[in-house]
Amino acid sequence: MSKLILTPVRFSAFRSNKLRTQGSAHDRIPIGHKLMFLAALLFVNISAAMPSTSEPTDRTTILENFTSMPADASKAPNAPNYPSSPQDRWEFIADTVMGGVSTGNVQFVTDNGQTVLKLSGTVSTANNGGFIQARLPLDQTAANPLPETAQGIWLKARGNGQKYFVHVRTSGTLLPWQYYQAPFEVTDQWQTVKLAWDDFKPSGGLSGSLLRDVPLADKIKSIAIVAFGRDHEADVEVAEIGYY
């Protein structure tokens, strides 16, 4: 806690040479001036002791909270073209598109009156597979593209104690197996996870990838919640997702 400190002031230090050459009746600063100085000094010390009320610089924006319309959709020029429900904005993709055998689904369930996304299923690495995902194309949101000043992705999530991933695809991920990936872990309690762009690594690794090392915010085309890379039961829920 900041402390209010008033430093004693020797008013004699402010006497002018002219005052010192005069008689004792004038050899002091007028009482009115002293009171004004004390009031100014008290104001400065109190202001320094008060907590700052400046706006935080780490602002966040919601891309999706699984309501009937994306966040801030009404402000976008093409708002009437947005799908009216999250079921139509999000898509489920599994490794079966490349011969894998993983199974799962995306559901939109209610938790304490709020709709949340639930990705669940069985991830299998058989037949060179190993993923299920729920993907949101950004052209289904009001933030397409993301601002180039965005620093990363955040999400509010919970689940079954497993590791999951956020995948982003950009205008440079031309091949189906190209993406950027950042891991996050969940517990059975809701928690907010923040992933900076530096947390996202290109598929193929930094040395073997044809992609740039870090994705550019304004080039991102889609964001996905992914269960990936190992045999396990997936069960993860997301209440909100956005950028900061």
Side-chain angles (χ1 to χ4, degrees):
M1 178 180 295
S2 300
K3 295 182 178 179
L4 177 62
I5 301 176
L6 294 177
T7 304
V9 177
R10 291 175 57 87
F11 286 100
S12 60
F14 296 93
R15 297 173 184 163
S16 67
N17 291 333
K18 181 178 180 181
L19 287 175
R20 277 198 289 268
T21 60
Q22 296 180 2
S24 60
H26 302 283
D27 194 18
R28 59 184 178 273
I29 295 176
I31 187 64
H33 291 182
K34 291 182 180 180
L35 292 175
M36 292 175 61
F37 183 84
L38 275 172
L41 183 63
L42 184 62
F43 175 81
V44 169
N45 279 276
I46 291 176
S47 298
M50 293 177 64
S52 172
T53 57
S54 60
E55 290 293 324
T57 56
D58 190 19
R59 300 191 180 201
T60 61
T61 299
I62 296 176
L63 282 172
E64 176 71 274
N65 58 5
F66 309 104
T67 59
S68 59
M69 285 290 278
D72 297 327
S74 60
K75 300 178 182 179
N78 60 338
N81 295 325
Y82 288 122
S84 60
S85 66
Q87 291 91 331
D88 295 325
R89 294 192 292 272
W90 288 78
E91 53 191 14
F92 174 78
I93 303 173
D95 57 22
T96 52
V97 299
M98 50 182 284
V101 296
S102 298
T103 59
N105 59 65
V106 175
Q107 298 173 291
F108 296 89
V109 299
T110 301
D111 179 72
N112 290 327
Q114 178 182 357
T115 301
V116 302
L117 178 149
K118 180 182 180 68
L119 174 67
S120 60
T122 301
V123 180
S124 171
T125 56
N127 292 353
N128 295 317
F131 74 86
I132 61 173
Q133 66 173 273
R135 186 165 68 183
L136 174 68
L138 288 191
D139 61 9
Q140 305 298 306
T141 75
N144 182 37
L146 297 183
E148 61 181 13
T149 55
Q151 300 175 41
I153 297 293
W154 65 270
L155 64 155
K156 182 179 178 181
R158 71 179 180 186
N160 60 350
Q162 297 283 334
K163 179 190 290 187
Y164 295 94
F165 298 86
V166 173
H167 284 192
V168 299
R169 289 178 58 83
T170 71
S171 57
T173 55
L174 302 179
L175 302 175
W177 53 85
Q178 291 181 317
Y179 53 84
Y180 292 89
Q181 178 188 78
F184 67 96
E185 295 186 2
V186 293
T187 69
D188 60 357
Q189 301 296 314
W190 290 112
Q191 59 184 340
T192 299
V193 178
K194 297 180 70 174
L195 301 169
W197 299 134
D198 286 345
D199 295 324
F200 286 84
K201 306 306 179 186
S203 54
L206 294 178
S207 60
S209 177
L210 298 177
L211 305 175
R212 57 179 290 115
D213 290 348
V214 177
L216 296 176
D218 59 343
K219 303 301 183 184
I220 291 175
K221 298 299 184 183
S222 67
I223 299 171
I225 309 301
V226 186
F228 172 85
R230 68 192 188 284
D231 297 326
H232 67 288
E233 292 298 316
D235 189 356
V236 59
E237 296 178 352
V238 178
E240 294 179 329
I241 187 166
Y243 64 88
Y244 66 96

